[in-house]
Amino acid sequence: MRDLGVDVIEAGFPSSSTAEFEATKKINNLVGKDVEVTGLSRMVKEDIDRTLESGVESIHLFIATSDIHLKYKLKMTREQVEDRIYTMIKYAKDRGVTVEFSPEDATRTDREFLLHAVRTAISAGADRINIPDTVGVMDPFRMRELISDVVAVSKGRIVSVHCHNDFGLATANSVAGVVAGASQVHVTVNGIGERAGNASLEEVVMALKKLGGFEVNVKTWMLYDTSRMLSEMTGMPVPFFKPIVGDNAFGHEAGIHVHGVLENPETYEPMTPEEVGNFRRIALGKHSGIHGLKTMLREGGIELPDDKVRIVLERVKEMAGEGKRVTPQDAVKVAKEVMGSR
Ligand SMILES: CC(=O)SCCNC(=O)CCNC(=O)[C@H](O)C(C)(C)COP(=O)(O)OP(=O)(O)OC[C@H]1O[C@@H](n2cnc3c(N)ncnc32)[C@H](O)[C@@H]1OP(=O)(O)O
Ligand SMILES: CC(C)C(=O)C(=O)O
Protein backbone atom coordinates (compact mmCIF):
# COMPACT_ATOMS: atom_id res chain seq x y z
CA MET A 1 0.00 0.00 0.00
CA ARG A 2 2.87 2.36 0.75
CA ASP A 3 4.44 1.67 -2.62
CA LEU A 4 1.07 2.04 -4.32
CA GLY A 5 0.92 5.60 -3.01
CA VAL A 6 -2.06 5.67 -0.67
CA ASP A 7 -2.08 8.49 1.90
CA VAL A 8 -3.40 6.59 4.93
CA ILE A 9 -3.50 2.87 5.76
CA GLU A 10 -6.17 1.75 8.22
CA ALA A 11 -4.25 -1.28 9.40
CA GLY A 12 -6.87 -2.78 11.69
CA PHE A 13 -9.00 -2.60 14.81
CA PRO A 14 -6.21 -3.11 17.37
CA SER A 15 -8.42 -3.52 20.43
CA SER A 16 -10.47 -6.32 18.86
CA SER A 17 -7.90 -9.11 19.33
CA THR A 18 -4.24 -9.79 20.04
CA ALA A 19 -3.70 -10.84 16.43
CA GLU A 20 -5.19 -7.57 15.14
CA PHE A 21 -3.13 -5.57 17.66
CA GLU A 22 0.08 -7.31 16.63
CA ALA A 23 -0.72 -6.95 12.92
CA THR A 24 -1.37 -3.21 13.28
CA LYS A 25 1.84 -2.79 15.27
CA LYS A 26 3.82 -4.72 12.66
CA ILE A 27 2.39 -2.70 9.77
CA ASN A 28 3.10 0.53 11.63
CA ASN A 29 6.69 -0.52 12.33
CA LEU A 30 7.15 -1.50 8.71
CA VAL A 31 5.74 1.54 6.89
CA GLY A 32 4.71 4.03 9.59
CA LYS A 33 7.69 6.27 8.80
CA ASP A 34 6.58 6.75 5.20
CA VAL A 35 2.79 6.75 5.35
CA GLU A 36 0.18 7.47 8.01
CA VAL A 37 -1.01 4.27 9.68
CA THR A 38 -4.27 4.46 11.58
CA GLY A 39 -6.35 2.15 13.76
CA LEU A 40 -10.13 1.91 14.08
CA SER A 41 -11.59 2.15 17.56
CA ARG A 42 -14.88 2.30 19.43
CA MET A 43 -15.46 5.32 21.63
CA VAL A 44 -14.38 3.44 24.72
CA LYS A 45 -11.34 4.49 26.81
CA GLU A 46 -9.85 0.98 27.02
CA ASP A 47 -10.15 0.55 23.24
CA ILE A 48 -8.52 3.93 22.61
CA ASP A 49 -5.65 3.11 25.00
CA ARG A 50 -5.06 -0.23 23.32
CA THR A 51 -5.17 1.34 19.86
CA LEU A 52 -2.61 3.96 20.79
CA GLU A 53 -0.43 1.28 22.39
CA SER A 54 -0.01 -0.18 18.89
CA GLY A 55 1.94 2.96 17.98
CA VAL A 56 -0.33 4.32 15.23
CA GLU A 57 -0.02 7.96 14.21
CA SER A 58 -3.76 8.52 14.17
CA ILE A 59 -6.94 6.98 15.49
CA HIS A 60 -10.26 6.54 13.72
CA LEU A 61 -13.01 6.89 16.32
CA PHE A 62 -16.55 5.94 15.42
CA ILE A 63 -19.94 5.83 17.04
CA ALA A 64 -23.33 5.41 15.45
CA THR A 65 -25.64 8.41 15.20
CA SER A 66 -28.76 7.04 13.49
CA ASP A 67 -31.84 6.48 15.62
CA ILE A 68 -32.07 2.81 14.69
CA HIS A 69 -28.49 2.18 15.87
CA LEU A 70 -29.00 4.24 19.01
CA LYS A 71 -32.20 2.42 19.97
CA TYR A 72 -31.37 -1.18 19.14
CA LYS A 73 -27.59 -1.37 19.25
CA LEU A 74 -26.07 1.25 21.52
CA LYS A 75 -29.15 1.74 23.72
CA MET A 76 -28.12 5.34 24.17
CA THR A 77 -29.89 8.67 23.76
CA ARG A 78 -28.71 11.34 21.34
CA GLU A 79 -27.48 13.39 24.31
CA GLN A 80 -25.42 10.46 25.58
CA VAL A 81 -23.91 9.89 22.15
CA GLU A 82 -23.07 13.56 21.78
CA ASP A 83 -21.41 13.54 25.20
CA ARG A 84 -19.44 10.41 24.27
CA ILE A 85 -18.27 12.00 21.01
CA TYR A 86 -16.95 15.03 22.86
CA THR A 87 -15.26 13.24 25.76
CA MET A 88 -13.66 10.43 23.74
CA ILE A 89 -12.30 12.68 20.99
CA LYS A 90 -10.89 14.98 23.66
CA TYR A 91 -9.41 11.96 25.47
CA ALA A 92 -7.62 10.85 22.30
CA LYS A 93 -6.53 14.36 21.32
CA ASP A 94 -5.02 14.86 24.77
CA ARG A 95 -2.78 11.88 23.92
CA GLY A 96 -1.31 13.75 20.97
CA VAL A 97 -2.68 11.84 17.99
CA THR A 98 -4.56 12.83 14.89
CA VAL A 99 -8.25 11.96 15.26
CA GLU A 100 -10.66 11.02 12.52
CA PHE A 101 -14.30 10.89 13.55
CA SER A 102 -17.02 8.78 11.93
CA PRO A 103 -20.69 9.12 12.76
CA GLU A 104 -21.57 5.54 11.84
CA ASP A 105 -24.73 5.14 9.73
CA ALA A 106 -24.46 8.86 8.95
CA THR A 107 -26.59 8.52 5.85
CA ARG A 108 -29.61 7.30 7.86
CA THR A 109 -29.06 9.87 10.60
CA ASP A 110 -31.38 12.82 11.09
CA ARG A 111 -29.57 15.60 9.20
CA GLU A 112 -29.73 18.18 12.00
CA PHE A 113 -28.39 15.71 14.54
CA LEU A 114 -25.65 14.59 12.17
CA LEU A 115 -24.43 18.14 11.62
CA HIS A 116 -24.65 18.73 15.34
CA ALA A 117 -22.50 15.63 15.95
CA VAL A 118 -19.96 16.88 13.41
CA ARG A 119 -19.80 20.30 15.11
CA THR A 120 -19.36 18.60 18.49
CA ALA A 121 -16.51 16.44 17.13
CA ILE A 122 -14.77 19.49 15.73
CA SER A 123 -15.15 21.41 18.98
CA ALA A 124 -13.52 18.45 20.76
CA GLY A 125 -10.57 18.63 18.34
CA ALA A 126 -11.35 16.14 15.55
CA ASP A 127 -8.95 16.60 12.64
CA ARG A 128 -10.96 14.74 10.00
CA ILE A 129 -14.63 14.01 9.54
CA ASN A 130 -15.53 10.81 7.75
CA ILE A 131 -19.09 10.26 6.55
CA PRO A 132 -19.95 6.57 6.30
CA ASP A 133 -22.76 5.27 4.12
CA THR A 134 -22.77 2.24 6.39
CA VAL A 135 -25.50 0.26 4.64
CA GLY A 136 -24.94 1.69 1.17
CA VAL A 137 -28.29 3.44 0.83
CA MET A 138 -27.15 6.65 -0.83
CA ASP A 139 -27.32 7.70 -4.44
CA PRO A 140 -24.82 10.15 -5.97
CA PHE A 141 -27.32 13.04 -5.99
CA ARG A 142 -28.15 12.79 -2.28
CA MET A 143 -24.50 12.09 -1.46
CA ARG A 144 -23.42 15.29 -3.14
CA GLU A 145 -25.97 17.29 -1.17
CA LEU A 146 -25.08 15.62 2.15
CA ILE A 147 -21.34 16.13 1.75
CA SER A 148 -21.86 19.78 0.79
CA ASP A 149 -23.76 20.23 4.07
CA VAL A 150 -21.00 18.50 6.05
CA VAL A 151 -18.23 20.51 4.36
CA ALA A 152 -20.12 23.70 5.24
CA VAL A 153 -19.92 22.98 8.99
CA SER A 154 -16.49 21.34 9.04
CA LYS A 155 -14.39 24.50 9.44
CA GLY A 156 -11.81 23.49 6.84
CA ARG A 157 -11.21 20.02 8.29
CA ILE A 158 -10.62 17.20 5.82
CA VAL A 159 -13.97 15.63 4.97
CA SER A 160 -13.92 12.00 3.94
CA VAL A 161 -16.42 9.46 2.60
CA HIS A 162 -16.78 5.75 3.30
CA CYS A 163 -19.25 4.03 1.00
CA HIS A 164 -20.63 0.51 1.10
CA ASN A 165 -21.75 -1.22 -2.06
CA ASP A 166 -25.13 -2.75 -1.18
CA PHE A 167 -26.77 -1.25 -4.29
CA GLY A 168 -23.63 -1.24 -6.44
CA LEU A 169 -23.27 2.53 -5.99
CA ALA A 170 -20.20 2.76 -3.76
CA THR A 171 -17.90 4.09 -6.46
CA ALA A 172 -20.49 6.56 -7.79
CA ASN A 173 -21.26 7.80 -4.28
CA SER A 174 -17.56 8.17 -3.44
CA VAL A 175 -16.99 10.25 -6.57
CA ALA A 176 -20.07 12.36 -5.78
CA GLY A 177 -18.63 12.96 -2.31
CA VAL A 178 -15.38 14.22 -3.79
CA VAL A 179 -17.22 16.45 -6.24
CA ALA A 180 -19.02 17.95 -3.23
CA GLY A 181 -15.76 18.72 -1.44
CA ALA A 182 -14.54 15.53 0.26
CA SER A 183 -10.78 15.22 -0.06
CA GLN A 184 -10.35 11.73 1.34
CA VAL A 185 -12.04 8.48 0.31
CA HIS A 186 -12.07 5.19 2.22
CA VAL A 187 -11.55 2.34 -0.19
CA THR A 188 -10.49 -1.30 -0.17
CA VAL A 189 -8.53 -3.29 -2.74
CA ASN A 190 -10.96 -5.22 -4.94
CA GLY A 191 -13.81 -3.64 -2.94
CA ILE A 192 -13.66 -6.28 -0.21
CA GLY A 193 -15.65 -5.60 2.93
CA GLU A 194 -18.76 -6.48 4.89
CA ARG A 195 -21.78 -7.72 2.87
CA ALA A 196 -21.47 -6.44 -0.73
CA GLY A 197 -18.18 -4.78 0.15
CA ASN A 198 -16.80 -1.25 0.15
CA ALA A 199 -15.89 1.20 -2.57
CA SER A 200 -13.13 -0.37 -4.61
CA LEU A 201 -9.79 1.41 -4.64
CA GLU A 202 -9.21 0.67 -8.31
CA GLU A 203 -12.57 1.99 -9.47
CA VAL A 204 -12.55 5.12 -7.32
CA VAL A 205 -8.98 6.05 -8.26
CA MET A 206 -9.56 5.62 -11.99
CA ALA A 207 -12.98 7.30 -11.98
CA LEU A 208 -11.55 10.30 -10.13
CA LYS A 209 -8.58 10.48 -12.48
CA LYS A 210 -10.24 9.79 -15.82
CA LEU A 211 -13.77 11.10 -15.35
CA GLY A 212 -13.31 13.78 -12.72
CA GLY A 213 -9.91 15.06 -13.82
CA PHE A 214 -8.67 14.91 -10.22
CA GLU A 215 -5.04 14.45 -9.36
CA VAL A 216 -4.40 11.12 -7.61
CA ASN A 217 -1.17 10.03 -5.98
CA VAL A 218 -1.82 6.34 -6.47
CA LYS A 219 0.55 4.66 -8.93
CA THR A 220 -2.19 3.39 -11.14
CA TRP A 221 0.03 1.02 -13.12
CA MET A 222 0.35 -1.07 -9.93
CA LEU A 223 -3.41 -1.60 -9.59
CA TYR A 224 -3.65 -4.94 -11.39
CA ASP A 225 -0.76 -6.56 -9.51
CA THR A 226 -2.05 -5.22 -6.19
CA SER A 227 -5.45 -6.66 -6.92
CA ARG A 228 -3.98 -10.08 -7.73
CA MET A 229 -1.77 -10.00 -4.61
CA LEU A 230 -4.82 -9.35 -2.41
CA SER A 231 -6.74 -12.07 -4.22
CA GLU A 232 -3.97 -14.59 -3.56
CA MET A 233 -3.69 -13.58 0.10
CA THR A 234 -7.44 -13.83 0.75
CA GLY A 235 -8.21 -16.72 -1.57
CA MET A 236 -11.00 -14.63 -3.11
CA PRO A 237 -11.01 -14.56 -6.92
CA VAL A 238 -11.34 -11.27 -8.79
CA PRO A 239 -14.54 -11.34 -10.90
CA PHE A 240 -13.80 -11.71 -14.63
CA PHE A 241 -15.87 -8.64 -15.50
CA LYS A 242 -14.64 -6.44 -12.62
CA PRO A 243 -13.86 -2.92 -13.89
CA ILE A 244 -10.18 -1.93 -14.11
CA VAL A 245 -8.65 -5.14 -12.72
CA GLY A 246 -10.89 -7.93 -14.04
CA ASP A 247 -9.36 -10.20 -16.65
CA ASN A 248 -12.02 -9.05 -19.14
CA ALA A 249 -11.75 -5.35 -18.31
CA PHE A 250 -9.79 -4.90 -21.55
CA GLY A 251 -11.15 -7.99 -23.28
CA HIS A 252 -12.71 -7.81 -26.74
CA GLU A 253 -14.48 -10.51 -28.73
CA ALA A 254 -17.14 -8.75 -30.82
CA GLY A 255 -15.87 -8.28 -34.37
CA ILE A 256 -16.92 -4.63 -34.57
CA HIS A 257 -15.10 -3.84 -31.32
CA VAL A 258 -11.96 -5.78 -32.23
CA HIS A 259 -11.81 -4.01 -35.61
CA GLY A 260 -12.09 -0.64 -33.86
CA VAL A 261 -9.48 -1.50 -31.23
CA LEU A 262 -7.02 -2.70 -33.88
CA GLU A 263 -7.35 0.63 -35.70
CA ASN A 264 -7.27 2.71 -32.49
CA PRO A 265 -7.78 1.24 -28.99
CA GLU A 266 -9.53 4.43 -27.87
CA THR A 267 -12.55 3.41 -29.93
CA TYR A 268 -13.51 0.87 -27.27
CA GLU A 269 -11.21 1.50 -24.31
CA PRO A 270 -11.75 4.50 -22.01
CA MET A 271 -8.25 4.07 -20.55
CA THR A 272 -5.26 2.00 -21.58
CA PRO A 273 -4.59 -1.38 -19.95
CA GLU A 274 -0.98 -0.25 -19.35
CA GLU A 275 -2.25 2.65 -17.23
CA VAL A 276 -3.60 0.18 -14.67
CA GLY A 277 -1.15 -2.67 -15.22
CA ASN A 278 -3.79 -4.85 -16.89
CA PHE A 279 -3.65 -6.51 -20.32
CA ARG A 280 -5.64 -6.36 -23.54
CA ARG A 281 -7.07 -9.74 -24.43
CA ILE A 282 -8.62 -10.47 -27.82
CA ALA A 283 -10.86 -13.53 -27.71
CA LEU A 284 -12.32 -15.66 -30.47
CA GLY A 285 -15.98 -16.63 -30.40
CA LYS A 286 -19.26 -16.56 -32.23
CA HIS A 287 -19.13 -12.76 -32.34
CA SER A 288 -15.68 -12.60 -34.00
CA GLY A 289 -15.06 -10.75 -37.26
CA ILE A 290 -12.55 -11.04 -40.08
CA HIS A 291 -10.25 -8.17 -39.02
CA GLY A 292 -9.55 -9.66 -35.62
CA LEU A 293 -9.12 -13.18 -36.95
CA LYS A 294 -6.74 -12.05 -39.70
CA THR A 295 -4.58 -10.24 -37.14
CA MET A 296 -4.57 -13.26 -34.87
CA LEU A 297 -3.58 -15.58 -37.72
CA ARG A 298 -0.85 -13.18 -38.82
CA GLU A 299 0.55 -13.25 -35.27
CA GLY A 300 0.50 -17.06 -35.60
CA GLY A 301 2.60 -16.75 -38.79
CA ILE A 302 -0.26 -17.32 -41.23
CA GLU A 303 -1.20 -15.03 -44.11
CA LEU A 304 -4.37 -15.97 -45.98
CA PRO A 305 -6.51 -14.20 -48.56
CA ASP A 306 -9.82 -12.86 -47.26
CA ASP A 307 -11.95 -15.60 -48.86
CA LYS A 308 -9.96 -18.25 -46.99
CA VAL A 309 -10.05 -16.30 -43.72
CA ARG A 310 -13.83 -16.22 -44.11
CA ILE A 311 -13.86 -20.02 -44.22
CA VAL A 312 -11.74 -20.15 -41.05
CA LEU A 313 -14.08 -17.60 -39.44
CA GLU A 314 -17.14 -19.73 -40.21
CA ARG A 315 -15.43 -22.73 -38.60
CA VAL A 316 -14.45 -20.66 -35.55
CA LYS A 317 -18.07 -19.50 -35.15
CA GLU A 318 -19.33 -23.08 -35.51
CA MET A 319 -16.95 -24.31 -32.83
CA ALA A 320 -17.94 -21.48 -30.50
CA GLY A 321 -21.61 -22.14 -31.25
CA GLU A 322 -21.07 -25.71 -30.09
CA GLY A 323 -19.92 -24.29 -26.76
CA LYS A 324 -16.20 -24.76 -27.31
CA ARG A 325 -13.72 -22.16 -26.08
CA VAL A 326 -11.78 -21.31 -29.24
CA THR A 327 -8.12 -20.46 -28.73
CA PRO A 328 -5.73 -18.77 -31.19
CA GLN A 329 -4.05 -22.18 -31.55
CA ASP A 330 -7.42 -23.65 -32.66
CA ALA A 331 -7.74 -20.91 -35.27
CA VAL A 332 -4.22 -21.53 -36.57
CA LYS A 333 -4.96 -25.27 -36.75
CA VAL A 334 -8.14 -24.65 -38.75
CA ALA A 335 -6.27 -22.19 -40.99
CA LYS A 336 -3.62 -24.82 -41.73
CA GLU A 337 -6.36 -27.30 -42.64
CA VAL A 338 -7.91 -24.73 -44.97
CA MET A 339 -4.49 -24.04 -46.51
CA GLY A 340 -3.93 -27.81 -46.93
CA SER A 341 -7.18 -28.16 -48.82
CA ARG A 342 -6.16 -25.52 -51.41
C1 LIG B 1 -19.62 -0.28 10.53
C2 LIG B 1 -18.39 -0.87 11.02
O1 LIG B 1 -17.68 -1.37 10.25
S1 LIG B 1 -18.06 -0.82 12.63
C3 LIG B 1 -16.60 -1.77 12.88
C4 LIG B 1 -16.83 -3.21 12.71
N1 LIG B 1 -15.67 -3.92 13.12
C5 LIG B 1 -15.66 -4.76 14.15
O2 LIG B 1 -16.66 -5.07 14.77
C6 LIG B 1 -14.27 -5.28 14.48
C7 LIG B 1 -14.25 -6.60 15.20
N2 LIG B 1 -15.05 -6.58 16.39
C8 LIG B 1 -14.76 -7.32 17.50
O3 LIG B 1 -13.75 -8.00 17.56
C9 LIG B 1 -15.72 -7.22 18.63
O4 LIG B 1 -17.01 -6.89 18.13
C10 LIG B 1 -15.30 -6.17 19.71
C11 LIG B 1 -13.97 -6.63 20.33
C12 LIG B 1 -15.07 -4.78 19.09
C13 LIG B 1 -16.35 -6.04 20.79
O5 LIG B 1 -16.66 -7.33 21.17
P1 LIG B 1 -17.69 -7.71 22.35
O6 LIG B 1 -17.29 -7.01 23.60
O7 LIG B 1 -17.71 -9.17 22.38
O8 LIG B 1 -19.10 -7.07 21.94
P2 LIG B 1 -20.02 -7.30 20.65
O9 LIG B 1 -19.21 -7.23 19.42
O10 LIG B 1 -20.86 -8.52 20.81
O11 LIG B 1 -20.99 -6.04 20.78
C14 LIG B 1 -20.55 -4.75 20.53
C15 LIG B 1 -20.55 -3.88 21.77
O12 LIG B 1 -19.89 -2.63 21.44
C16 LIG B 1 -20.82 -1.54 21.58
N3 LIG B 1 -20.47 -0.59 20.58
C17 LIG B 1 -20.66 -0.70 19.23
N4 LIG B 1 -20.12 0.36 18.63
C18 LIG B 1 -19.59 1.13 19.58
C19 LIG B 1 -18.88 2.35 19.53
N5 LIG B 1 -18.60 2.94 18.37
N6 LIG B 1 -18.45 2.91 20.67
C20 LIG B 1 -18.72 2.29 21.86
N7 LIG B 1 -19.37 1.12 21.96
C21 LIG B 1 -19.80 0.55 20.82
C22 LIG B 1 -22.18 -2.20 21.43
O13 LIG B 1 -23.20 -1.39 21.92
C23 LIG B 1 -21.97 -3.48 22.21
O14 LIG B 1 -21.93 -3.09 23.56
P3 LIG B 1 -22.44 -4.03 24.79
O15 LIG B 1 -21.47 -5.17 24.83
O16 LIG B 1 -22.34 -3.16 25.98
O17 LIG B 1 -23.82 -4.46 24.44
C1 LIG C 1 -16.58 2.62 11.17
C2 LIG C 1 -17.25 3.13 9.96
C3 LIG C 1 -16.41 4.08 9.19
C4 LIG C 1 -17.69 2.03 9.08
O1 LIG C 1 -16.93 1.13 8.80
C5 LIG C 1 -19.02 2.12 8.52
O2 LIG C 1 -19.84 2.84 9.05
O3 LIG C 1 -19.30 1.41 7.54
Side-chain angles (χ1 to χ4, degrees), residues 13 16 40 42-44 62-63 73-74 84 104 134:
F13 194 132
S16 66
L40 183 61
R42 290 184 300 183
M43 289 202 154
V44 174
F62 73 97
I63 193 159
K73 195 185 79 174
L74 296 176
R84 186 76 74 95
E104 189 189 356
T134 303

Side-chain angles (χ1 to χ4, degrees), residues 56-75:
V56 288
E57 181 181 339
S58 63
I59 188 165
H60 175 192
L61 290 176
F62 73 97
I63 193 159
T65 46
S66 66
D67 289 335
I68 185 168
H69 278 236
L70 263 60
K71 181 172 177 191
Y72 294 102
K73 195 185 79 174
L74 296 176
K75 299 172 178 66

Side-chain angles (χ1 to χ4, degrees), residues 42-97:
R42 290 184 300 183
M43 289 202 154
V44 174
K45 268 187 189 166
E46 295 72 31
D47 286 22
I48 295 173
D49 291 342
R50 184 71 169 151
T51 305
L52 299 186
E53 207 185 315
S54 72
V56 288
E57 181 181 339
S58 63
I59 188 165
H60 175 192
L61 290 176
F62 73 97
I63 193 159
T65 46
S66 66
D67 289 335
I68 185 168
H69 278 236
L70 263 60
K71 181 172 177 191
Y72 294 102
K73 195 185 79 174
L74 296 176
K75 299 172 178 66
M76 290 167 80
T77 63
R78 287 185 181 182
E79 291 68 31
Q80 287 169 326
V81 166
E82 193 194 338
D83 181 60
R84 186 76 74 95
I85 291 170
Y86 188 84
T87 52
M88 290 300 105
I89 290 178
K90 188 127 192 10
Y91 182 79
K93 279 308 293 178
D94 287 347
R95 275 142 193 84
V97 285

Side-chain angles (χ1 to χ4, degrees), residues 10 13 40-41 60-63 69 100-106 130-135 162-164 186 194-195 198:
E10 189 169 289
F13 194 132
L40 183 61
S41 172
H60 175 192
L61 290 176
F62 73 97
I63 193 159
H69 278 236
E100 178 160 326
F101 165 63
S102 281
E104 189 189 356
D105 206 19
N130 175 58
I131 299 300
D133 184 20
T134 303
V135 288
H162 173 115
C163 298
H164 278 268
H186 286 197
E194 293 282 284
R195 305 184 309 281
N198 287 62

Side-chain angles (χ1 to χ4, degrees), residues 303-318:
E303 286 284 355
L304 278 181
D306 282 5
D307 59 330
K308 298 288 182 199
V309 179
R310 286 258 171 232
I311 297 172
V312 179
L313 183 61
E314 279 319 303
R315 184 66 196 122
V316 163
K317 288 185 184 233
E318 267 170 39

Side-chain angles (χ1 to χ4, degrees), residues 199-274:
S200 127
L201 179 148
E202 312 78 40
E203 293 174 20
V204 171
V205 163
M206 292 314 290
L208 287 175
K209 183 176 174 194
K210 303 296 287 190
L211 307 179
F214 291 97
E215 210 176 295
V216 291
N217 294 331
V218 167
K219 298 183 179 88
T220 61
W221 58 93
M222 289 175 65
L223 288 173
Y224 181 82
D225 283 350
T226 306
S227 158
R228 287 306 173 280
M229 184 171 75
L230 195 273
S231 173
E232 269 174 38
M233 285 170 157
T234 57
M236 291 180 199
V238 179
F240 186 59
F241 291 107
K242 185 154 188 2
I244 320 294
V245 291
D247 278 337
N248 202 56
F250 298 89
H252 310 278
E253 181 202 310
I256 292 165
H257 291 214
V258 173
H259 174 224
V261 165
L262 290 171
E263 296 295 324
N264 180 345
E266 280 184 40
T267 52
Y268 286 99
E269 288 175 358
M271 67 195 103
T272 68
E274 293 80 19

